[in-house]
Structures are given as structure tokens and as C-alpha cells.
Amino acid sequence: GVPHRRWNWFTAWIAAGATALAAAGLILYQARGFRAELAESRIEIARSGAAADAMRQALDLIQAPETREVGFGQGQPAPPRGRVFFHPSGVLLIASRLPAPPPGKTYEMWMIRDGKPAPAGLFTSSPQGNAIHLYRPPTPPTGSDVVAVTLEAAAGVAAPTSTPIIVAPL
């Protein structure tokens, strides 16, 4: 019976070793998944922080005494509607009832000065049809400036290629 006992101990040691290797593999796999989740969480926190910072900037611009407000879309039966806030340091567009752009398209804002449109950034609307876009122009807006929004290719364009969906003169 001695060889039989050795075989049982040998089998037990092999089983224990295999179990330990499997456990180590599982721990490494879970650690890799945890690291990936942690990285995704960090990215989401950074996005949230950037969104919160953008909202703080938007509120600061709205509350500044030099800010002028212009509405658009009031009295129209179809979207969009909203407001544009003009300040020497920036232009803030807040829109509602702005449908999500079709695939491959985005909204592009334009600052029109003396009839010449200049790109003022790309944005999209939420699934609920809301949009907020803050643009920091290189020079302060003037009383003759106009903000317009068109639907353009997702990468943006150098000059408008479609009829404006939003027009808001200062």
C-alpha cells in the first residue's frame, strides 16, 4: 500500500498546484479588468470635470454685467428656439428643440461680421434636443455681428454650405 499513498499525495500536490495556478490566473485576469475599469472611470471623471468647467464658464458669461442677450425662434411653430449671449470674452448659444444631426453631420456655429462668416465651432444636440455651445472669439463681438448655425459635414467646413437653421443678430 505504500506506492498507493505516494500516488495520492502526488495527485494532491498536483491538484493543489493546478488550483493555485488557476487562482493566480483568475486574480491577474480580474486585476486587468479592474485596471481597465479604473482607466475608464478616470476618463469619465475628466469628461465630467470638463463639462462642469464649461458650465461654470457659461454661467459666468450669462451673469456678467456686459453680457447682451438675443432670442431666436420665438413665434416659430418649428424648432429650434433659444438664446445667444454676447460678451466681449465669448458667445454662448443655448438652444432647445434642435434635432440630433443625421449620421456624418454636425452643427457648426458661425460668427458673421460685415457679411463674412467665420467658423465658431462644432457642436451637437442631446437626445432631448438641447444644445449649449460656448465660443471664445479672437476679437470681441461687435454690435453688427450675427451668429448663425448650419448643418455641416461632421469634420466642419471653412464656409457655410447650407441654409442657416439659427440666425441671431447682436
Side-chain angles (χ1 to χ4, degrees):
V2 174
H4 186 58
R5 273 194 214 140
R6 274 194 233 149
W7 180 252
N8 284 340
W9 281 106
F10 180 72
T11 304
W13 281 107
I14 293 292
T19 303
L21 282 174
L26 181 61
I27 290 169
L28 287 173
Y29 176 76
Q30 288 175 340
R32 188 177 334 142
F34 177 71
R35 281 194 299 271
E37 288 176 20
L38 186 59
E40 287 176 24
S41 295
R42 285 183 179 146
I43 290 169
E44 189 59 37
I45 288 169
R47 281 188 196 137
S48 297
D53 186 50
M55 290 305 275
R56 275 192 295 277
Q57 290 181 33
L59 287 172
D60 288 347
L61 188 139
I62 290 171
Q63 295 173 348
E66 306 87 15
T67 299
R68 293 187 51 200
E69 177 183 350
V70 176
F72 61 87
Q74 283 73 15
Q76 293 181 5
R81 295 182 183 167
R83 303 228 173 271
V84 178
F85 298 87
F86 293 89
H87 184 272
S89 69
V91 177
L92 176 67
L93 171 88
I94 300 176
S96 62
R97 301 174 65 190
L98 188 64
K105 297 283 187 175
T106 193
Y107 292 108
E108 187 160 3
M109 190 166 92
W110 305 93
M111 289 295 299
I112 303 171
R113 185 171 285 176
D114 299 324
K116 298 175 187 152
L122 307 173
F123 66 96
T124 189
S125 58
S126 72
Q128 296 79 24
N130 300 317
I132 297 176
H133 178 65
L134 177 61
Y135 172 64
R136 300 286 186 184
T139 58
T142 67
S144 62
D145 286 354
V146 174
V147 166
V149 173
T150 57
L151 190 60
E152 302 294 350
V157 293
T161 64
S162 64
T163 303
I165 297 167
I166 296 170
V167 177
L170 176 58

